[in-house]
Amino acid sequence: MKSSIGVGLIGTGYMGKCHALAWNSVKPVFGSGAQPRLVHLAEVNAEIARTKADEFGSAKATGDWRELIADPEVDVVSVTTPNAFHAEMAIAALEAGKHVWCEKPMAVALADAERMAMVAKASGKVAVLGYNYIQNPLVRHIGALLEQGAIGAVNHVRLEMDEDFMADPEALFYWKSEASSGYGALDDFGVHPLSLLQVLFGSVIRVFAHLAKPYATRPTKEGTARAVETFDIASVLFELGGGISGVMALNRSAWGRKGRIALQIFGSKGSIVYDQERMNELQLYTAEGPGTERGYRTILTAPQHAPYDRFIPAPGHGLGFNDLKIIECHELLKAIAGEPARVIDFATGLGIERAVHAMARSHSEQRWVEV
């Protein structure tokens, strides 16, 4: 294995900065593995690229992402651009012999996602998606509890993901309300709860969905009204393997919700409750003992919940969103080194994309759809 690995970063917005922080922090946190080096950064123009390269610590900067992909010093490419650009950039990087870390969703069109998975397989390179919520030590612990049978046979799962960044009806129209960005809540962030289902239970089998637009139009900066082309609300019934039923509710316009991914798992002997807004705790109920003393108990993250111990030696101090990105980066480096890794690669991610498109088709055709 190489002692260092050259990183190319495309995009420097919200997720671009998360990736830069992860690349710069993974070695100090985990100690082992190759040393990442930010060698090239691409943005929409050379001026912005140079400014961000200085901030993030990248040696080179460019206003042309193709120049970054052609750079022989770049071993792995982080794609953190808006959704519509993921497919073209990821495929170009893979065909150039680079590993890829691409933010979710894979692509707007299912055909593009299928091509991404096909090219990734043919390339022999590692290609993973940005599903960092699966890296939470407590989500890993939920998986362990399920494997241990702590709540018996699971029979029902409920998922909610809510944020309020599009709750204001007077907020200006922007690209997330354009059809070219995708369906809306389904593929913009509904893929995150689907990633939790994937690592805990496997693929969704069939779905029945309803999509809604809370606001028909949004104002533009020119002072006109423009029709909203995406759906900010989605309600989905789904079925998992083994006859497990499920409900998923998504809302990008939910006032008061900032980053909620609420997961409830019900079994024959108990239940588990988790909420991403309180990502350092989970609630466990087991149907044991006298009824007068039964109730949910709170489990706080602690060094016993690996890899929490790589960050903090004391329990209850808590991890954050960017810490999960650092863990994801470490898993990516393990995959590149040929080690077993907890990642959602393009092949598995394609299953999530197919579930999303099945949900959209279900809404359109008003029927249950097999995934």
Side-chain angles (χ1 to χ4, degrees):
M1 180 179 175
K2 296 169 62 175
S3 60
S4 68
I5 185 165
V7 177
L9 174 63
I10 306 178
T12 62
Y14 177 9
M15 295 314 302
K17 188 170 186 177
C18 289
H19 277 234
L21 289 169
W23 285 120
N24 287 329
S25 302
V26 66
K27 184 71 171 184
V29 171
F30 286 94
S32 62
Q35 173 68 61
R37 296 175 296 110
L38 280 176
V39 298
H40 215 146
L41 180 150
E43 253 297 348
V44 292
N45 63 56
E47 182 180 0
I48 295 175
R50 185 66 263 167
T51 298
K52 291 299 183 181
D54 292 341
E55 291 177 8
F56 294 173
S58 176
K60 291 178 278 189
T62 180
D64 182 358
W65 61 268
R66 294 173 182 83
E67 181 181 329
L68 178 152
I69 287 176
D71 187 343
E73 288 191 69
V74 171
D75 300 304
V76 56
V77 176
S78 278
V79 179
T80 71
T81 56
N83 305 346
F85 302 103
H86 288 181
E88 181 183 11
M89 292 176 175
I91 288 171
L94 289 165
E95 290 180 337
K98 316 295 186 183
H99 304 292
V100 171
W101 184 11
C102 180
E103 275 306 308
K104 60 78 203 166
M106 287 181 74
V108 175
L110 181 58
D112 285 337
E114 290 172 338
R115 184 165 173 239
M116 289 169 75
M118 180 183 67
V119 172
K121 182 178 180 180
S123 74
K125 295 297 178 178
V126 173
V128 305
L129 294 160
Y131 286 117
N132 55 312
Y133 295 121
I134 71 170
Q135 306 298 346
N136 190 324
L138 284 186
V139 172
R140 296 176 181 222
H141 188 57
I142 290 172
L145 289 171
L146 294 176
E147 288 182 9
Q148 296 162 13
I151 63 168
V154 174
N155 49 56
H156 184 70
V157 180
R158 293 181 194 169
L159 283 158
E160 299 172 46
M161 185 165 183
D162 302 306
E163 296 185 15
D164 65 0
F165 67 95
M166 300 186 78
D168 186 354
E170 299 304 315
L172 292 179
F173 187 102
Y174 79 120
W175 65 268
K176 287 202 173 187
S177 290
E178 293 179 344
S180 60
S181 71
Y183 298 117
L186 267 184
D187 46 353
D188 181 29
F189 66 35
V191 291
H192 276 304
L194 288 174
S195 74
L196 298 183
L197 286 179
Q198 182 66 49
V199 297
L200 295 174
F201 299 103
S203 301
V204 174
I205 294 175
R206 63 183 191 133
V207 297
F208 190 102
H210 178 263
L211 312 182
K213 299 177 182 179
Y215 312 119
T217 64
R218 286 194 178 274
T220 67
K221 61 182 179 181
E222 293 79 19
T224 61
R226 180 171 171 179
V228 172
E229 300 166 1
T230 55
F231 298 93
D232 295 331
I233 297 172
S235 304
V236 183
L237 300 176
F238 62 84
E239 183 179 326
L240 299 167
I244 300 173
S245 65
V247 177
M248 182 171 71
L250 312 170
N251 191 345
R252 301 194 297 190
S253 57
W255 275 122
R257 296 299 186 188
K258 306 304 179 183
R260 187 170 195 247
I261 305 179
L263 170 66
Q264 296 184 81
I265 306 171
F266 299 95
S268 59
K269 297 180 180 179
S271 61
I272 297 170
V273 177
Y274 167 81
D275 189 338
Q276 178 62 28
E277 286 186 338
R278 304 180 68 88
M279 59 174 283
N280 288 286
E281 62 183 62
L282 67 83
Q283 309 293 318
L284 173 64
Y285 180 94
T286 54
E288 299 172 339
T292 53
E293 297 174 11
R294 289 187 184 182
Y296 282 99
R297 66 179 183 271
T298 301
I299 299 172
L300 299 178
T301 44
Q304 292 81 5
H305 303 115
Y308 174 97
D309 58 310
R310 305 302 308 211
F311 294 85
I312 308 169
H317 285 56
L319 301 183
F321 179 89
N322 285 326
D323 296 324
L324 304 187
K325 214 67 186 171
I326 295 169
I327 299 171
E328 183 174 69
C329 186
H330 177 61
E331 295 295 326
L332 167 60
L333 288 172
K334 286 166 59 179
I336 291 173
E339 302 171 16
R342 182 185 176 89
V343 294
I344 291 182
D345 61 17
F346 279 18
T348 304
L350 180 58
I352 293 175
E353 299 293 320
R354 285 174 172 154
V356 165
H357 288 277
M359 292 169 190
R361 190 164 77 251
S362 170
H363 167 75
S364 177
E365 299 176 4
Q366 298 184 36
R367 66 177 181 88
W368 281 93
V369 170
E370 304 291 321
V371 176

Coordinates of all heavy atoms in Angstrom, one line a residue, residues 234-308:
A234 N -42.8 13.6 1.0 CA -43.1 12.2 0.5 C -43.5 11.3 1.6 O -42.9 11.4 2.7 CB -41.8 11.7 -0.2
S235 N -44.5 10.5 1.3 CA -45.0 9.5 2.3 C -45.0 8.2 1.6 O -45.5 8.0 0.5 CB -46.4 9.8 2.8 OG -46.5 11.2 3.3
V236 N -44.3 7.2 2.3 CA -44.1 5.9 1.6 C -44.4 4.7 2.6 O -44.0 4.7 3.7 CB -42.6 5.8 1.2 CG1 -42.3 4.5 0.4 CG2 -42.2 7.0 0.3
L237 N -45.1 3.8 2.1 CA -45.2 2.5 2.7 C -44.2 1.6 2.0 O -44.1 1.6 0.8 CB -46.7 1.9 2.5 CG -47.8 2.7 3.1 CD1 -49.1 2.0 2.8 CD2 -47.7 2.9 4.6
F238 N -43.6 0.7 2.7 CA -42.6 -0.2 2.1 C -42.6 -1.6 2.8 O -43.1 -1.7 3.9 CB -41.2 0.4 2.1 CG -40.6 0.7 3.4 CD1 -40.0 -0.3 4.1 CD2 -40.7 1.9 4.0 CE1 -39.4 -0.1 5.4 CE2 -40.1 2.2 5.2 CZ -39.5 1.2 5.9
E239 N -42.0 -2.5 2.1 CA -41.9 -3.9 2.7 C -40.4 -4.3 2.6 O -39.8 -4.1 1.5 CB -42.8 -4.9 1.9 CG -42.8 -6.3 2.5 CD -43.7 -7.2 1.8 OE1 -44.8 -6.8 1.3 OE2 -43.4 -8.4 1.7
L240 N -39.9 -4.9 3.6 CA -38.6 -5.4 3.7 C -38.6 -7.0 3.6 O -39.7 -7.6 3.7 CB -37.8 -5.0 4.9 CG -37.7 -3.5 5.1 CD1 -37.2 -3.2 6.5 CD2 -36.7 -2.9 4.1
G241 N -37.5 -7.6 3.5 CA -37.5 -9.0 3.6 C -38.0 -9.6 4.9 O -38.0 -8.9 5.9
G242 N -38.5 -10.8 4.8 CA -39.1 -11.5 6.0 C -40.4 -10.9 6.4 O -40.9 -11.2 7.5
G243 N -41.1 -10.2 5.5 CA -42.4 -9.7 5.8 C -42.4 -8.5 6.7 O -43.5 -8.1 7.2
I244 N -41.3 -7.8 6.9 CA -41.2 -6.6 7.8 C -41.9 -5.5 7.1 O -41.5 -5.1 5.9 CB -39.8 -6.3 8.2 CG1 -39.1 -7.4 8.9 CG2 -39.8 -5.0 9.0 CD1 -37.6 -7.2 9.1
S245 N -42.9 -4.8 7.7 CA -43.6 -3.7 7.1 C -42.9 -2.4 7.6 O -42.2 -2.4 8.6 CB -45.0 -3.6 7.5 OG -45.1 -3.4 9.0
G246 N -43.1 -1.3 6.8 CA -42.4 -0.1 7.1 C -43.2 1.1 6.6 O -44.0 1.1 5.7
V247 N -42.8 2.3 7.2 CA -43.4 3.6 6.8 C -42.2 4.6 6.8 O -41.4 4.6 7.7 CB -44.4 4.1 7.8 CG1 -44.9 5.5 7.4 CG2 -45.6 3.1 7.9
M248 N -42.1 5.4 5.7 CA -41.1 6.4 5.7 C -41.8 7.7 5.3 O -42.6 7.8 4.3 CB -40.1 6.1 4.6 CG -39.0 7.2 4.5 SD -37.5 6.7 3.5 CE -38.3 6.8 1.9
A249 N -41.6 8.8 6.1 CA -42.1 10.1 5.9 C -41.0 11.1 5.7 O -40.1 11.2 6.6 CB -43.0 10.5 7.0
L250 N -41.0 11.9 4.6 CA -39.9 12.9 4.3 C -40.6 14.2 4.2 O -41.6 14.4 3.5 CB -39.2 12.5 3.1 CG -38.8 11.0 2.9 CD1 -38.3 10.7 1.5 CD2 -37.6 10.7 3.9
N251 N -39.9 15.3 4.7 CA -40.4 16.6 4.5 C -39.2 17.6 4.6 O -38.6 17.8 5.6 CB -41.4 16.9 5.6 CG -42.2 18.2 5.4 OD1 -41.8 19.0 4.6 ND2 -43.2 18.4 6.2
R252 N -39.0 18.4 3.5 CA -38.0 19.4 3.4 C -38.5 20.8 3.9 O -37.8 21.7 3.9 CB -37.4 19.6 2.0 CG -36.8 18.3 1.4 CD -36.0 18.6 0.2 NE -36.8 19.1 -0.9 CZ -36.3 19.3 -2.2 NH1 -35.1 18.9 -2.5 NH2 -37.1 19.8 -3.2
S253 N -39.8 20.8 4.2 CA -40.4 22.1 4.6 C -41.1 22.0 6.0 O -42.1 22.5 6.2 CB -41.5 22.5 3.5 OG -42.5 21.5 3.4
A254 N -40.4 21.2 6.9 CA -41.0 21.0 8.2 C -40.4 22.0 9.2 O -39.3 21.7 9.8 CB -40.7 19.5 8.6
W255 N -41.1 23.0 9.5 CA -40.7 24.1 10.4 C -40.3 23.4 11.7 O -41.0 22.6 12.3 CB -41.7 25.1 10.7 CG -41.8 26.2 9.7 CD1 -42.9 26.6 8.9 CD2 -40.8 27.2 9.3 NE1 -42.6 27.7 8.1 CE2 -41.3 28.0 8.4 CE3 -39.5 27.3 9.8 CZ2 -40.6 29.1 7.8 CZ3 -38.7 28.4 9.2 CH2 -39.3 29.2 8.3
G256 N -39.1 23.8 12.2 CA -38.6 23.4 13.5 C -37.7 22.1 13.5 O -37.0 21.9 14.5
R257 N -37.8 21.4 12.4 CA -36.9 20.2 12.3 C -35.6 20.7 11.5 O -35.7 21.2 10.4 CB -37.6 19.1 11.5 CG -38.8 18.6 12.3 CD -38.4 18.0 13.6 NE -39.5 17.3 14.3 CZ -39.5 16.9 15.5 NH1 -38.4 17.0 16.2 NH2 -40.5 16.3 16.0
K258 N -34.5 20.4 12.1 CA -33.2 20.9 11.5 C -32.4 19.8 10.8 O -31.8 20.0 9.8 CB -32.4 21.5 12.7 CG -33.1 22.6 13.4 CD -33.6 23.7 12.5 CE -34.3 24.8 13.3 NZ -34.9 25.8 12.4
G259 N -32.4 18.6 11.4 CA -31.7 17.5 10.8 C -32.2 16.2 11.3 O -31.4 15.3 11.7
R260 N -33.5 16.0 11.3 CA -34.1 14.8 11.9 C -34.1 13.6 11.0 O -34.6 13.7 9.9 CB -35.5 15.2 12.3 CG -36.2 14.1 13.1 CD -37.5 14.6 13.7 NE -38.0 13.8 14.7 CZ -39.2 13.0 14.6 NH1 -39.9 13.1 13.5 NH2 -39.6 12.3 15.6
I261 N -33.5 12.5 11.5 CA -33.8 11.2 10.9 C -34.2 10.3 12.1 O -33.3 9.9 12.8 CB -32.5 10.6 10.2 CG1 -31.9 11.6 9.2 CG2 -32.8 9.3 9.6 CD1 -30.7 11.1 8.5
A262 N -35.5 10.2 12.2 CA -36.0 9.4 13.3 C -36.3 7.9 12.9 O -36.9 7.7 11.9 CB -37.3 10.0 13.8
L263 N -35.7 7.0 13.6 CA -35.8 5.6 13.3 C -36.4 4.9 14.5 O -36.0 5.0 15.6 CB -34.4 5.0 13.0 CG -34.3 3.5 12.9 CD1 -35.0 3.0 11.7 CD2 -32.8 3.1 12.9
Q264 N -37.5 4.2 14.2 CA -38.2 3.3 15.3 C -38.2 1.9 14.7 O -38.7 1.7 13.6 CB -39.6 3.8 15.6 CG -39.6 5.2 16.2 CD -41.0 5.6 16.6 OE1 -41.5 5.2 17.7 NE2 -41.7 6.4 15.8
I265 N -37.7 1.0 15.5 CA -37.7 -0.4 15.1 C -38.5 -1.2 16.2 O -38.1 -1.2 17.4 CB -36.3 -1.0 15.0 CG1 -35.5 -0.1 14.1 CG2 -36.3 -2.4 14.5 CD1 -34.0 -0.5 14.1
F266 N -39.5 -1.9 15.8 CA -40.4 -2.7 16.7 C -40.2 -4.2 16.5 O -40.2 -4.7 15.4 CB -41.8 -2.3 16.5 CG -42.1 -0.8 16.8 CD1 -42.1 0.1 15.7 CD2 -42.3 -0.3 18.0 CE1 -42.3 1.4 15.9 CE2 -42.5 1.0 18.3 CZ -42.6 1.9 17.2
G267 N -40.0 -4.9 17.6 CA -39.8 -6.3 17.5 C -40.7 -7.1 18.5 O -41.5 -6.4 19.2
S268 N -40.6 -8.4 18.5 CA -41.5 -9.2 19.3 C -41.1 -9.1 20.8 O -42.0 -9.5 21.7 CB -41.4 -10.7 18.9 OG -40.0 -11.1 19.0
K269 N -39.9 -8.6 21.2 CA -39.5 -8.5 22.6 C -39.1 -7.1 23.0 O -38.5 -6.9 24.1 CB -38.4 -9.5 22.8 CG -38.8 -10.9 22.6 CD -37.6 -11.8 22.9 CE -37.9 -13.3 22.7 NZ -36.7 -14.2 22.9
G270 N -39.3 -6.1 22.1 CA -38.9 -4.7 22.5 C -38.8 -3.8 21.3 O -39.4 -4.1 20.2
S271 N -38.2 -2.7 21.5 CA -38.1 -1.7 20.4 C -36.8 -0.8 20.6 O -36.3 -0.7 21.7 CB -39.3 -0.8 20.3 OG -39.5 -0.1 21.6
I272 N -36.4 -0.2 19.5 CA -35.3 0.7 19.5 C -35.7 2.0 18.9 O -36.4 2.0 17.8 CB -34.1 0.1 18.7 CG1 -33.6 -1.1 19.4 CG2 -33.0 1.1 18.5 CD1 -32.6 -1.9 18.5
V273 N -35.4 3.2 19.5 CA -35.7 4.5 19.0 C -34.4 5.3 18.8 O -33.6 5.4 19.8 CB -36.7 5.2 19.9 CG1 -37.0 6.6 19.4 CG2 -38.0 4.4 20.0
Y274 N -34.2 5.9 17.7 CA -33.0 6.8 17.4 C -33.4 8.0 16.6 O -34.3 7.9 15.8 CB -32.0 5.9 16.7 CG -30.9 6.8 16.1 CD1 -29.8 7.2 16.9 CD2 -30.9 7.2 14.7 CE1 -28.8 7.9 16.3 CE2 -29.9 7.9 14.2 CZ -28.8 8.3 15.0 OH -27.8 9.1 14.5
D275 N -32.8 9.1 16.9 CA -33.1 10.4 16.2 C -31.7 11.1 15.9 O -31.0 11.4 16.8 CB -34.0 11.3 17.0 CG -34.5 12.5 16.2 OD1 -33.8 12.9 15.2 OD2 -35.5 13.1 16.6
Q276 N -31.5 11.4 14.6 CA -30.2 12.0 14.3 C -30.0 13.3 14.9 O -28.8 13.8 15.1 CB -30.1 12.1 12.7 CG -28.9 12.8 12.2 CD -27.6 12.1 12.5 OE1 -27.6 10.8 12.7 NE2 -26.5 12.8 12.6
E277 N -31.1 14.1 15.3 CA -30.9 15.3 16.0 C -30.3 15.1 17.4 O -29.8 16.1 18.0 CB -32.2 16.1 16.0 CG -32.6 16.7 14.7 CD -33.9 17.6 14.8 OE1 -34.7 17.4 15.7 OE2 -34.0 18.4 13.9
R278 N -30.4 13.9 17.9 CA -29.8 13.6 19.1 C -28.9 12.3 18.9 O -29.1 11.3 19.4 CB -30.8 13.3 20.2 CG -31.8 14.5 20.5 CD -32.8 14.2 21.5 NE -32.2 14.1 22.8 CZ -32.0 15.1 23.7 NH1 -32.4 16.3 23.3 NH2 -31.4 14.9 24.8
M279 N -27.9 12.5 18.0 CA -27.2 11.4 17.4 C -26.3 10.7 18.3 O -25.7 9.7 18.0 CB -26.4 12.0 16.2 CG -25.4 13.0 16.5 SD -24.3 13.5 15.2 CE -23.2 12.1 15.1
N280 N -26.1 11.2 19.6 CA -25.2 10.5 20.5 C -26.0 9.7 21.6 O -25.4 9.4 22.6 CB -24.3 11.5 21.2 CG -23.3 12.0 20.2 OD1 -22.3 11.3 19.9 ND2 -23.4 13.3 19.7
E281 N -27.3 9.4 21.3 CA -28.0 8.6 22.2 C -29.1 7.8 21.5 O -29.5 8.2 20.4 CB -28.7 9.5 23.3 CG -29.7 10.4 22.7 CD -30.4 11.3 23.8 OE1 -29.6 12.1 24.4 OE2 -31.6 11.2 24.0
L282 N -29.4 6.6 22.0 CA -30.5 5.9 21.5 C -31.3 5.3 22.7 O -30.9 5.3 23.8 CB -30.1 4.7 20.6 CG -29.2 3.6 21.1 CD1 -30.1 2.5 21.8 CD2 -28.4 2.9 20.0
Q283 N -32.6 5.0 22.4 CA -33.5 4.5 23.4 C -33.7 3.0 23.1 O -34.1 2.6 22.0 CB -34.8 5.2 23.4 CG -34.7 6.7 23.4 CD -34.1 7.2 24.7 OE1 -34.5 6.7 25.8 NE2 -33.2 8.2 24.7
L284 N -33.6 2.2 24.1 CA -33.8 0.7 24.0 C -34.9 0.3 25.0 O -34.8 0.6 26.2 CB -32.5 0.0 24.3 CG -32.6 -1.6 24.3 CD1 -33.0 -2.1 23.0 CD2 -31.2 -2.1 24.8
Y285 N -35.9 -0.4 24.5 CA -36.9 -1.0 25.4 C -36.9 -2.5 25.2 O -37.0 -3.0 24.1 CB -38.3 -0.4 25.0 CG -39.4 -1.0 25.9 CD1 -39.9 -0.3 27.0 CD2 -40.0 -2.2 25.6 CE1 -40.9 -0.8 27.8 CE2 -41.1 -2.7 26.4 CZ -41.5 -2.0 27.5 OH -42.5 -2.5 28.3
T286 N -36.8 -3.2 26.3 CA -36.9 -4.6 26.3 C -38.1 -5.1 27.2 O -38.2 -4.5 28.4 CB -35.6 -5.3 26.7 OG1 -35.2 -4.8 28.0 CG2 -34.5 -5.0 25.7
A287 N -38.9 -6.0 26.8 CA -40.1 -6.4 27.5 C -39.6 -7.4 28.6 O -39.9 -8.6 28.5 CB -41.1 -7.0 26.6
E288 N -38.9 -6.9 29.6 CA -38.4 -7.8 30.6 C -38.7 -7.1 32.0 O -38.8 -5.9 32.1 CB -36.9 -8.0 30.5 CG -36.5 -8.6 29.2 CD -34.9 -8.6 29.0 OE1 -34.3 -7.8 29.6 OE2 -34.4 -9.4 28.2
G289 N -38.7 -8.0 33.0 CA -38.9 -7.5 34.4 C -40.3 -7.1 34.7 O -41.2 -7.2 33.8
P290 N -40.6 -6.7 35.9 CA -42.0 -6.3 36.3 C -42.5 -5.1 35.5 O -41.7 -4.2 35.2 CB -41.9 -6.0 37.8 CG -40.4 -5.7 38.0 CD -39.7 -6.5 37.0
G291 N -43.8 -5.1 35.2 CA -44.4 -4.0 34.4 C -44.2 -2.7 35.1 O -44.1 -1.7 34.4
T292 N -44.1 -2.7 36.4 CA -43.9 -1.4 37.1 C -42.6 -0.7 36.9 O -42.4 0.5 37.2 CB -44.1 -1.6 38.6 OG1 -43.2 -2.7 39.0 CG2 -45.5 -2.0 39.0
E293 N -41.7 -1.5 36.3 CA -40.3 -0.9 36.1 C -39.8 -0.9 34.7 O -38.7 -0.7 34.4 CB -39.3 -1.7 37.0 CG -39.6 -1.6 38.5 CD -38.7 -2.5 39.3 OE1 -37.7 -3.1 38.7 OE2 -39.0 -2.7 40.5
R294 N -40.8 -1.3 33.8 CA -40.4 -1.3 32.4 C -40.4 0.2 31.8 O -41.2 1.0 32.2 CB -41.4 -2.1 31.6 CG -41.2 -3.6 31.8 CD -42.1 -4.4 30.9 NE -42.0 -5.8 31.1 CZ -42.7 -6.7 30.4 NH1 -43.4 -6.4 29.4 NH2 -42.6 -8.0 30.8
G295 N -39.5 0.4 30.8 CA -39.5 1.7 30.2 C -38.2 1.8 29.3 O -37.3 0.9 29.4
Y296 N -38.2 2.8 28.5 CA -37.0 3.0 27.6 C -35.8 3.4 28.5 O -36.0 4.2 29.4 CB -37.3 4.1 26.6 CG -38.1 3.6 25.4 CD1 -39.5 3.8 25.3 CD2 -37.5 2.9 24.4 CE1 -40.3 3.4 24.3 CE2 -38.3 2.5 23.3 CZ -39.6 2.7 23.2 OH -40.4 2.3 22.2
R297 N -34.7 2.9 28.1 CA -33.5 3.3 28.8 C -32.6 4.0 27.7 O -32.5 3.6 26.6 CB -32.7 2.2 29.5 CG -32.1 1.1 28.7 CD -31.4 0.1 29.6 NE -30.8 -1.0 28.9 CZ -31.3 -2.1 28.5 NH1 -32.6 -2.3 28.9 NH2 -30.6 -3.0 27.9
T298 N -31.9 5.0 28.1 CA -31.0 5.8 27.2 C -29.6 5.3 27.2 O -29.0 5.1 28.3 CB -31.0 7.3 27.6 OG1 -32.4 7.8 27.6 CG2 -30.2 8.1 26.7
I299 N -29.1 5.0 26.0 CA -27.7 4.6 25.9 C -26.9 5.7 25.2 O -27.3 6.2 24.1 CB -27.6 3.3 25.0 CG1 -28.4 2.2 25.7 CG2 -26.2 2.9 24.7 CD1 -28.5 1.0 24.8
L300 N -25.9 6.2 25.9 CA -25.1 7.3 25.3 C -23.8 6.7 24.7 O -23.3 5.7 25.1 CB -24.7 8.3 26.4 CG -25.8 9.0 27.2 CD1 -25.2 9.9 28.3 CD2 -26.6 9.9 26.2
T301 N -23.4 7.4 23.6 CA -22.1 6.9 23.0 C -21.0 6.9 23.9 O -20.8 7.8 24.8 CB -21.8 7.8 21.7 OG1 -21.9 9.2 22.1 CG2 -22.6 7.5 20.6
A302 N -20.1 5.9 23.8 CA -19.0 5.8 24.7 C -17.9 5.1 24.0 O -18.1 4.6 22.9 CB -19.5 4.9 25.9
P303 N -16.7 5.0 24.6 CA -15.6 4.4 23.9 C -15.8 2.9 23.6 O -15.2 2.4 22.6 CB -14.4 4.5 25.0 CG -14.8 5.7 25.8 CD -16.3 5.7 25.8
Q304 N -16.8 2.3 24.2 CA -17.1 0.9 23.9 C -17.9 0.8 22.5 O -18.0 -0.3 22.0 CB -18.0 0.3 25.0 CG -17.3 0.0 26.3 CD -17.2 1.3 27.1 OE1 -17.7 2.4 26.8 NE2 -16.5 1.2 28.3
H305 N -18.4 1.9 22.0 CA -19.0 2.0 20.7 C -18.0 2.4 19.7 O -18.0 3.6 19.3 CB -20.2 2.9 20.8 CG -21.2 2.6 21.8 ND1 -21.5 3.4 22.9 CD2 -22.0 1.5 22.0 CE1 -22.4 2.9 23.6 NE2 -22.8 1.7 23.1
A306 N -17.2 1.5 19.2 CA -16.2 1.9 18.2 C -16.8 2.4 16.9 O -17.9 2.0 16.6 CB -15.3 0.6 17.9
P307 N -16.2 3.4 16.3 CA -14.9 4.0 16.6 C -14.9 5.3 17.4 O -14.0 6.1 17.2 CB -14.3 4.2 15.2 CG -15.5 4.6 14.4 CD -16.6 3.8 14.9
Y308 N -16.0 5.4 18.2 CA -16.0 6.6 19.1 C -14.7 6.8 19.8 O -14.3 8.0 20.0 CB -17.2 6.4 20.1 CG -17.3 7.5 21.1 CD1 -18.2 8.6 20.9 CD2 -16.6 7.5 22.3 CE1 -18.4 9.5 21.9 CE2 -16.8 8.4 23.3 CZ -17.7 9.5 23.1 OH -17.8 10.4 24.1

